[in-house]
Short mmCIF file of all heavy atoms in Angstrom, two decimals:
data_model
loop_
_atom_site.label_atom_id
_atom_site.label_comp_id
_atom_site.label_asym_id
_atom_site.label_seq_id
_atom_site.Cartn_x
_atom_site.Cartn_y
_atom_site.Cartn_z
N GLN A 1096 4.15 0.87 35.02
CA GLN A 1096 3.71 1.08 33.63
C GLN A 1096 2.55 0.19 33.27
O GLN A 1096 1.62 0.61 32.56
CB GLN A 1096 4.90 0.85 32.69
CG GLN A 1096 5.98 1.92 32.81
CD GLN A 1096 7.32 1.48 32.25
OE1 GLN A 1096 7.52 0.31 31.90
NE2 GLN A 1096 8.25 2.42 32.15
N VAL A 1097 2.55 -1.05 33.76
CA VAL A 1097 1.41 -1.94 33.52
C VAL A 1097 0.16 -1.36 34.18
O VAL A 1097 -0.93 -1.38 33.59
CB VAL A 1097 1.72 -3.36 34.05
CG1 VAL A 1097 0.44 -4.19 34.14
CG2 VAL A 1097 2.71 -4.06 33.13
N ALA A 1098 0.31 -0.85 35.40
CA ALA A 1098 -0.84 -0.24 36.09
C ALA A 1098 -1.38 0.95 35.30
O ALA A 1098 -2.60 1.13 35.15
CB ALA A 1098 -0.43 0.20 37.49
N GLU A 1099 -0.48 1.76 34.75
CA GLU A 1099 -0.90 2.92 33.94
C GLU A 1099 -1.61 2.46 32.67
O GLU A 1099 -2.63 3.02 32.28
CB GLU A 1099 0.33 3.77 33.59
CG GLU A 1099 -0.01 5.05 32.84
CD GLU A 1099 1.23 5.85 32.48
OE1 GLU A 1099 2.34 5.45 32.90
OE2 GLU A 1099 1.09 6.86 31.77
N LEU A 1100 -1.07 1.42 32.05
CA LEU A 1100 -1.68 0.89 30.82
C LEU A 1100 -3.08 0.35 31.10
O LEU A 1100 -4.04 0.62 30.36
CB LEU A 1100 -0.79 -0.21 30.24
CG LEU A 1100 -1.29 -0.90 28.98
CD1 LEU A 1100 -1.36 0.07 27.81
CD2 LEU A 1100 -0.38 -2.08 28.63
N LEU A 1101 -3.23 -0.41 32.17
CA LEU A 1101 -4.54 -0.97 32.52
C LEU A 1101 -5.53 0.14 32.83
O LEU A 1101 -6.70 0.08 32.42
CB LEU A 1101 -4.40 -1.92 33.72
CG LEU A 1101 -3.68 -3.24 33.45
CD1 LEU A 1101 -3.34 -3.93 34.76
CD2 LEU A 1101 -4.52 -4.15 32.58
N GLY A 1102 -5.07 1.17 33.55
CA GLY A 1102 -5.95 2.28 33.86
C GLY A 1102 -6.39 3.01 32.61
O GLY A 1102 -7.56 3.41 32.48
N HIS A 1103 -5.47 3.17 31.66
CA HIS A 1103 -5.81 3.86 30.42
C HIS A 1103 -6.84 3.08 29.60
O HIS A 1103 -7.67 3.68 28.92
CB HIS A 1103 -4.53 4.06 29.60
CG HIS A 1103 -4.78 4.71 28.27
ND1 HIS A 1103 -5.08 6.04 28.14
CD2 HIS A 1103 -4.80 4.19 27.02
CE1 HIS A 1103 -5.27 6.32 26.86
NE2 HIS A 1103 -5.10 5.22 26.16
N ARG A 1104 -6.78 1.77 29.69
CA ARG A 1104 -7.71 0.94 28.92
C ARG A 1104 -8.97 0.58 29.70
O ARG A 1104 -9.70 -0.33 29.32
CB ARG A 1104 -7.00 -0.34 28.46
CG ARG A 1104 -5.83 -0.08 27.52
CD ARG A 1104 -6.27 0.62 26.23
NE ARG A 1104 -5.14 0.88 25.35
CZ ARG A 1104 -4.68 0.02 24.47
NH1 ARG A 1104 -5.26 -1.15 24.33
NH2 ARG A 1104 -3.64 0.33 23.71
N GLY A 1105 -9.22 1.27 30.81
CA GLY A 1105 -10.47 1.09 31.53
C GLY A 1105 -10.47 0.01 32.58
O GLY A 1105 -11.53 -0.38 33.08
N HIS A 1106 -9.29 -0.49 32.97
CA HIS A 1106 -9.21 -1.53 34.00
C HIS A 1106 -8.53 -1.00 35.25
O HIS A 1106 -7.93 -1.76 36.03
CB HIS A 1106 -8.44 -2.75 33.47
CG HIS A 1106 -8.99 -3.31 32.19
ND1 HIS A 1106 -10.33 -3.50 31.99
CD2 HIS A 1106 -8.37 -3.69 31.04
CE1 HIS A 1106 -10.53 -3.99 30.76
NE2 HIS A 1106 -9.36 -4.10 30.18
N GLY A 1107 -8.62 0.32 35.48
CA GLY A 1107 -7.94 0.91 36.63
C GLY A 1107 -8.60 0.60 37.95
O GLY A 1107 -8.03 0.87 39.00
N GLY A 1108 -9.83 0.05 37.93
CA GLY A 1108 -10.52 -0.25 39.18
C GLY A 1108 -10.07 -1.55 39.83
O GLY A 1108 -10.56 -1.89 40.92
N LEU A 1109 -9.17 -2.28 39.20
CA LEU A 1109 -8.70 -3.54 39.79
C LEU A 1109 -7.86 -3.26 41.04
O LEU A 1109 -7.13 -2.27 41.09
CB LEU A 1109 -7.85 -4.31 38.77
CG LEU A 1109 -8.60 -4.83 37.54
CD1 LEU A 1109 -7.61 -5.35 36.51
CD2 LEU A 1109 -9.57 -5.93 37.93
N PRO A 1110 -7.95 -4.11 42.06
CA PRO A 1110 -7.11 -3.92 43.26
C PRO A 1110 -5.63 -3.93 42.91
O PRO A 1110 -5.20 -4.59 41.96
CB PRO A 1110 -7.48 -5.13 44.14
CG PRO A 1110 -8.81 -5.59 43.64
CD PRO A 1110 -8.84 -5.28 42.17
N ARG A 1111 -4.86 -3.19 43.70
CA ARG A 1111 -3.42 -3.12 43.42
C ARG A 1111 -2.76 -4.48 43.53
O ARG A 1111 -1.82 -4.78 42.78
CB ARG A 1111 -2.76 -2.13 44.39
CG ARG A 1111 -3.02 -0.68 44.03
CD ARG A 1111 -2.27 0.26 44.95
NE ARG A 1111 -2.30 1.62 44.46
CZ ARG A 1111 -3.30 2.47 44.68
NH1 ARG A 1111 -4.34 2.07 45.39
NH2 ARG A 1111 -3.28 3.69 44.19
N SER A 1112 -3.22 -5.31 44.46
CA SER A 1112 -2.64 -6.65 44.57
C SER A 1112 -2.90 -7.45 43.29
O SER A 1112 -2.05 -8.23 42.84
CB SER A 1112 -3.22 -7.38 45.78
OG SER A 1112 -4.64 -7.42 45.71
N THR A 1113 -4.07 -7.26 42.69
CA THR A 1113 -4.38 -7.95 41.44
C THR A 1113 -3.51 -7.43 40.31
O THR A 1113 -3.02 -8.21 39.47
CB THR A 1113 -5.87 -7.77 41.09
OG1 THR A 1113 -6.66 -8.29 42.15
CG2 THR A 1113 -6.22 -8.49 39.80
N ILE A 1114 -3.29 -6.13 40.28
CA ILE A 1114 -2.44 -5.55 39.23
C ILE A 1114 -1.01 -6.08 39.37
O ILE A 1114 -0.34 -6.36 38.37
CB ILE A 1114 -2.48 -4.01 39.30
CG1 ILE A 1114 -3.87 -3.51 38.90
CG2 ILE A 1114 -1.42 -3.39 38.39
CD1 ILE A 1114 -4.05 -2.03 39.03
N ARG A 1115 -0.54 -6.22 40.61
CA ARG A 1115 0.79 -6.80 40.79
C ARG A 1115 0.85 -8.22 40.25
O ARG A 1115 1.83 -8.64 39.63
CB ARG A 1115 1.17 -6.77 42.28
CG ARG A 1115 1.68 -5.43 42.75
CD ARG A 1115 2.40 -5.54 44.08
NE ARG A 1115 1.51 -5.86 45.17
CZ ARG A 1115 0.82 -4.95 45.88
NH1 ARG A 1115 0.93 -3.68 45.58
NH2 ARG A 1115 0.04 -5.31 46.86
N GLU A 1116 -0.24 -9.00 40.47
CA GLU A 1116 -0.27 -10.37 39.96
C GLU A 1116 -0.35 -10.38 38.44
O GLU A 1116 0.24 -11.24 37.78
CB GLU A 1116 -1.46 -11.11 40.57
CG GLU A 1116 -1.49 -12.60 40.27
CD GLU A 1116 -0.29 -13.35 40.82
OE1 GLU A 1116 0.37 -12.84 41.75
OE2 GLU A 1116 -0.02 -14.46 40.31
N ILE A 1117 -1.08 -9.42 37.88
CA ILE A 1117 -1.13 -9.30 36.41
C ILE A 1117 0.26 -9.02 35.86
O ILE A 1117 0.68 -9.61 34.85
CB ILE A 1117 -2.12 -8.19 35.99
CG1 ILE A 1117 -3.57 -8.64 36.24
CG2 ILE A 1117 -1.94 -7.82 34.52
CD1 ILE A 1117 -4.59 -7.57 35.98
N HIS A 1118 0.98 -8.12 36.52
CA HIS A 1118 2.34 -7.82 36.06
C HIS A 1118 3.23 -9.05 36.14
O HIS A 1118 3.99 -9.34 35.21
CB HIS A 1118 2.94 -6.68 36.90
CG HIS A 1118 4.36 -6.37 36.56
ND1 HIS A 1118 5.41 -6.73 37.36
CD2 HIS A 1118 4.90 -5.78 35.48
CE1 HIS A 1118 6.54 -6.34 36.80
NE2 HIS A 1118 6.26 -5.77 35.66
N ARG A 1119 3.12 -9.78 37.23
CA ARG A 1119 3.95 -10.98 37.37
C ARG A 1119 3.60 -12.02 36.33
O ARG A 1119 4.48 -12.60 35.68
CB ARG A 1119 3.77 -11.57 38.78
CG ARG A 1119 4.73 -12.71 39.11
CD ARG A 1119 4.26 -13.51 40.30
NE ARG A 1119 3.03 -14.23 40.01
CZ ARG A 1119 2.99 -15.37 39.30
NH1 ARG A 1119 4.09 -15.89 38.80
NH2 ARG A 1119 1.83 -15.98 39.10
N THR A 1120 2.31 -12.28 36.15
CA THR A 1120 1.88 -13.33 35.22
C THR A 1120 2.17 -12.95 33.77
O THR A 1120 2.55 -13.79 32.97
CB THR A 1120 0.37 -13.60 35.40
OG1 THR A 1120 0.13 -13.97 36.76
CG2 THR A 1120 -0.10 -14.72 34.49
N SER A 1121 1.97 -11.68 33.44
CA SER A 1121 2.20 -11.24 32.06
C SER A 1121 3.67 -11.07 31.74
O SER A 1121 4.04 -10.97 30.56
CB SER A 1121 1.48 -9.91 31.80
OG SER A 1121 2.09 -8.86 32.54
N GLY A 1122 4.51 -11.03 32.77
CA GLY A 1122 5.92 -10.78 32.54
C GLY A 1122 6.18 -9.38 32.00
O GLY A 1122 7.22 -9.13 31.39
N GLY A 1123 5.24 -8.46 32.22
CA GLY A 1123 5.40 -7.10 31.71
C GLY A 1123 5.05 -6.94 30.24
O GLY A 1123 5.25 -5.88 29.66
N ASN A 1124 4.49 -8.00 29.64
CA ASN A 1124 4.08 -7.93 28.23
C ASN A 1124 2.76 -7.18 28.14
O ASN A 1124 1.75 -7.61 28.73
CB ASN A 1124 3.93 -9.35 27.67
CG ASN A 1124 3.62 -9.37 26.20
OD1 ASN A 1124 2.57 -8.90 25.77
ND2 ASN A 1124 4.51 -9.94 25.41
N PRO A 1125 2.69 -6.05 27.43
CA PRO A 1125 1.47 -5.24 27.44
C PRO A 1125 0.25 -5.97 26.88
O PRO A 1125 -0.86 -5.82 27.41
CB PRO A 1125 1.84 -4.01 26.60
CG PRO A 1125 3.07 -4.36 25.88
CD PRO A 1125 3.78 -5.40 26.68
N LEU A 1126 0.41 -6.76 25.80
CA LEU A 1126 -0.72 -7.49 25.25
C LEU A 1126 -1.26 -8.49 26.26
O LEU A 1126 -2.48 -8.57 26.50
CB LEU A 1126 -0.31 -8.22 23.96
CG LEU A 1126 -1.37 -9.17 23.38
CD1 LEU A 1126 -2.59 -8.39 22.93
CD2 LEU A 1126 -0.80 -9.96 22.23
N PHE A 1127 -0.36 -9.25 26.88
CA PHE A 1127 -0.78 -10.25 27.86
C PHE A 1127 -1.46 -9.56 29.06
O PHE A 1127 -2.48 -10.04 29.57
CB PHE A 1127 0.41 -11.06 28.35
CG PHE A 1127 1.09 -11.87 27.27
CD1 PHE A 1127 2.29 -12.52 27.52
CD2 PHE A 1127 0.52 -12.00 26.02
CE1 PHE A 1127 2.92 -13.27 26.55
CE2 PHE A 1127 1.15 -12.75 25.02
CZ PHE A 1127 2.35 -13.38 25.30
N ALA A 1128 -0.87 -8.44 29.52
CA ALA A 1128 -1.43 -7.73 30.67
C ALA A 1128 -2.85 -7.23 30.36
O ALA A 1128 -3.76 -7.35 31.19
CB ALA A 1128 -0.53 -6.56 31.05
N LEU A 1129 -3.06 -6.68 29.18
CA LEU A 1129 -4.38 -6.17 28.81
C LEU A 1129 -5.40 -7.30 28.71
O LEU A 1129 -6.56 -7.15 29.14
CB LEU A 1129 -4.30 -5.41 27.48
CG LEU A 1129 -3.64 -4.03 27.56
CD1 LEU A 1129 -3.42 -3.47 26.16
CD2 LEU A 1129 -4.48 -3.08 28.40
N GLU A 1130 -5.00 -8.43 28.17
CA GLU A 1130 -5.92 -9.57 28.06
C GLU A 1130 -6.28 -10.11 29.44
O GLU A 1130 -7.44 -10.45 29.70
CB GLU A 1130 -5.30 -10.66 27.19
CG GLU A 1130 -5.30 -10.35 25.70
CD GLU A 1130 -6.71 -10.26 25.16
OE1 GLU A 1130 -7.46 -11.26 25.21
OE2 GLU A 1130 -7.09 -9.16 24.72
N LEU A 1131 -5.30 -10.20 30.32
CA LEU A 1131 -5.57 -10.65 31.68
C LEU A 1131 -6.48 -9.67 32.40
O LEU A 1131 -7.42 -10.06 33.11
CB LEU A 1131 -4.26 -10.82 32.45
CG LEU A 1131 -3.38 -12.00 32.05
CD1 LEU A 1131 -1.99 -11.87 32.66
CD2 LEU A 1131 -4.01 -13.33 32.46
N GLY A 1132 -6.21 -8.37 32.23
CA GLY A 1132 -7.04 -7.35 32.86
C GLY A 1132 -8.48 -7.40 32.35
O GLY A 1132 -9.44 -7.28 33.12
N ARG A 1133 -8.62 -7.60 31.05
CA ARG A 1133 -9.97 -7.69 30.47
C ARG A 1133 -10.71 -8.90 31.02
O ARG A 1133 -11.90 -8.81 31.38
CB ARG A 1133 -9.88 -7.78 28.95
CG ARG A 1133 -11.22 -7.86 28.25
CD ARG A 1133 -11.05 -8.06 26.75
NE ARG A 1133 -10.29 -9.26 26.44
CZ ARG A 1133 -10.80 -10.50 26.49
NH1 ARG A 1133 -12.06 -10.69 26.85
NH2 ARG A 1133 -10.05 -11.54 26.20
N ALA A 1134 -10.02 -10.04 31.10
CA ALA A 1134 -10.65 -11.26 31.60
C ALA A 1134 -11.09 -11.09 33.06
O ALA A 1134 -12.17 -11.52 33.45
CB ALA A 1134 -9.70 -12.44 31.47
N LEU A 1135 -10.25 -10.44 33.86
CA LEU A 1135 -10.61 -10.24 35.26
C LEU A 1135 -11.77 -9.26 35.41
O LEU A 1135 -12.64 -9.44 36.26
CB LEU A 1135 -9.40 -9.72 36.03
CG LEU A 1135 -8.34 -10.77 36.37
CD1 LEU A 1135 -7.05 -10.11 36.79
CD2 LEU A 1135 -8.85 -11.69 37.48
N ALA A 1136 -11.78 -8.22 34.58
CA ALA A 1136 -12.86 -7.24 34.65
C ALA A 1136 -14.20 -7.86 34.25
O ALA A 1136 -15.25 -7.49 34.77
CB ALA A 1136 -12.54 -6.06 33.74
N GLU A 1137 -14.16 -8.84 33.34
CA GLU A 1137 -15.39 -9.48 32.87
C GLU A 1137 -15.82 -10.64 33.74
O GLU A 1137 -16.95 -11.11 33.66
CB GLU A 1137 -15.19 -9.98 31.43
CG GLU A 1137 -14.99 -8.86 30.41
CD GLU A 1137 -14.66 -9.40 29.03
OE1 GLU A 1137 -14.48 -10.64 28.91
OE2 GLU A 1137 -14.57 -8.59 28.08
N ASN A 1138 -14.91 -11.11 34.62
CA ASN A 1138 -15.21 -12.27 35.46
C ASN A 1138 -15.72 -11.80 36.82
O ASN A 1138 -14.98 -11.17 37.59
CB ASN A 1138 -13.94 -13.12 35.65
CG ASN A 1138 -14.24 -14.42 36.37
OD1 ASN A 1138 -15.36 -14.67 36.81
ND2 ASN A 1138 -13.21 -15.25 36.51
N PRO A 1139 -16.97 -12.05 37.16
CA PRO A 1139 -17.51 -11.56 38.44
C PRO A 1139 -16.91 -12.27 39.65
O PRO A 1139 -17.00 -11.77 40.77
CB PRO A 1139 -19.01 -11.86 38.33
CG PRO A 1139 -19.11 -13.00 37.37
CD PRO A 1139 -17.98 -12.82 36.40
N THR A 1140 -16.31 -13.44 39.45
CA THR A 1140 -15.74 -14.21 40.56
C THR A 1140 -14.22 -14.10 40.54
O THR A 1140 -13.57 -14.63 39.64
CB THR A 1140 -16.15 -15.70 40.47
OG1 THR A 1140 -17.56 -15.79 40.37
CG2 THR A 1140 -15.65 -16.46 41.68
N PRO A 1141 -13.61 -13.38 41.49
CA PRO A 1141 -12.15 -13.26 41.50
C PRO A 1141 -11.50 -14.60 41.84
O PRO A 1141 -12.15 -15.48 42.42
CB PRO A 1141 -11.90 -12.22 42.60
CG PRO A 1141 -13.09 -12.33 43.50
CD PRO A 1141 -14.25 -12.69 42.62
N PRO A 1142 -10.23 -14.79 41.49
CA PRO A 1142 -9.56 -16.04 41.83
C PRO A 1142 -9.47 -16.24 43.33
O PRO A 1142 -9.39 -15.28 44.10
CB PRO A 1142 -8.16 -15.87 41.21
CG PRO A 1142 -7.99 -14.40 41.06
CD PRO A 1142 -9.35 -13.84 40.80
N ARG A 1143 -9.50 -17.49 43.75
CA ARG A 1143 -9.39 -17.79 45.18
C ARG A 1143 -7.98 -17.50 45.67
O ARG A 1143 -7.03 -17.52 44.89
CB ARG A 1143 -9.73 -19.27 45.43
CG ARG A 1143 -11.15 -19.62 45.05
CD ARG A 1143 -11.52 -20.99 45.59
NE ARG A 1143 -10.54 -22.02 45.26
CZ ARG A 1143 -10.61 -23.28 45.70
NH1 ARG A 1143 -11.61 -23.65 46.48
NH2 ARG A 1143 -9.69 -24.16 45.37
N PRO A 1144 -7.82 -17.21 46.98
CA PRO A 1144 -6.48 -16.94 47.51
C PRO A 1144 -5.53 -18.09 47.20
O PRO A 1144 -5.87 -19.26 47.36
CB PRO A 1144 -6.72 -16.82 49.02
CG PRO A 1144 -8.16 -16.44 49.15
CD PRO A 1144 -8.86 -17.11 48.02
N GLY A 1145 -4.34 -17.74 46.75
CA GLY A 1145 -3.33 -18.75 46.46
C GLY A 1145 -3.38 -19.32 45.07
O GLY A 1145 -2.47 -20.03 44.67
N GLU A 1146 -4.46 -19.03 44.32
CA GLU A 1146 -4.58 -19.57 42.97
C GLU A 1146 -4.07 -18.57 41.95
O GLU A 1146 -4.17 -17.35 42.15
CB GLU A 1146 -6.03 -19.93 42.66
CG GLU A 1146 -6.53 -21.17 43.39
CD GLU A 1146 -7.89 -21.61 42.87
OE1 GLU A 1146 -8.52 -20.83 42.12
OE2 GLU A 1146 -8.32 -22.71 43.23
N PRO A 1147 -3.55 -19.06 40.80
CA PRO A 1147 -3.13 -18.13 39.74
C PRO A 1147 -4.33 -17.41 39.14
O PRO A 1147 -5.48 -17.77 39.35
CB PRO A 1147 -2.47 -19.07 38.70
CG PRO A 1147 -2.19 -20.35 39.43
CD PRO A 1147 -3.24 -20.46 40.49
N LEU A 1148 -4.03 -16.38 38.35
CA LEU A 1148 -5.08 -15.63 37.68
C LEU A 1148 -5.76 -16.48 36.61
O LEU A 1148 -5.12 -17.35 36.00
CB LEU A 1148 -4.49 -14.38 37.01
CG LEU A 1148 -3.89 -13.32 37.92
CD1 LEU A 1148 -3.31 -12.19 37.08
CD2 LEU A 1148 -4.93 -12.78 38.88
N PRO A 1149 -7.04 -16.23 36.35
CA PRO A 1149 -7.69 -16.91 35.22
C PRO A 1149 -7.12 -16.39 33.91
O PRO A 1149 -6.96 -15.18 33.73
CB PRO A 1149 -9.17 -16.51 35.38
CG PRO A 1149 -9.14 -15.22 36.14
CD PRO A 1149 -7.96 -15.32 37.07
N VAL A 1150 -6.78 -17.29 33.03
CA VAL A 1150 -6.17 -16.91 31.75
C VAL A 1150 -7.22 -17.04 30.66
O VAL A 1150 -7.80 -18.13 30.47
CB VAL A 1150 -4.96 -17.81 31.43
CG1 VAL A 1150 -4.34 -17.41 30.10
CG2 VAL A 1150 -3.93 -17.70 32.54
N PRO A 1151 -7.52 -15.97 29.90
CA PRO A 1151 -8.54 -16.06 28.86
C PRO A 1151 -8.14 -17.03 27.75
O PRO A 1151 -6.95 -17.30 27.53
CB PRO A 1151 -8.62 -14.62 28.33
CG PRO A 1151 -7.33 -13.99 28.70
CD PRO A 1151 -6.91 -14.63 29.98
N THR A 1152 -9.14 -17.53 27.07
CA THR A 1152 -8.92 -18.52 26.02
C THR A 1152 -7.97 -18.01 24.96
O THR A 1152 -7.14 -18.76 24.43
CB THR A 1152 -10.27 -18.92 25.39
OG1 THR A 1152 -11.13 -19.37 26.43
CG2 THR A 1152 -10.08 -20.01 24.37
N SER A 1153 -8.06 -16.72 24.62
CA SER A 1153 -7.21 -16.16 23.57
C SER A 1153 -5.74 -16.33 23.91
O SER A 1153 -4.92 -16.66 23.03
CB SER A 1153 -7.53 -14.67 23.38
OG SER A 1153 -7.34 -13.96 24.60
#
Side-chain angles (χ1 to χ4, degrees):
Q1096 291 161 351
V1097 165
E1099 184 181 355
L1100 179 65
L1101 289 168
H1103 177 73
R1104 297 299 179 87
H1106 306 315
L1109 294 170
R1111 284 184 169 84
S1112 56
T1113 301
I1114 292 176
R1115 280 197 291 274
E1116 188 62 20
I1117 288 175
H1118 176 254
R1119 188 197 67 78
T1120 302
S1121 68
N1124 185 296
L1126 172 65
F1127 297 171
L1129 286 171
E1130 285 296 298
L1131 288 167
R1133 181 184 58 78
L1135 283 165
E1137 294 175 354
N1138 187 356
T1140 306
R1143 297 192 309 176
E1146 287 189 349
L1148 296 178
V1150 180
T1152 305
S1153 59

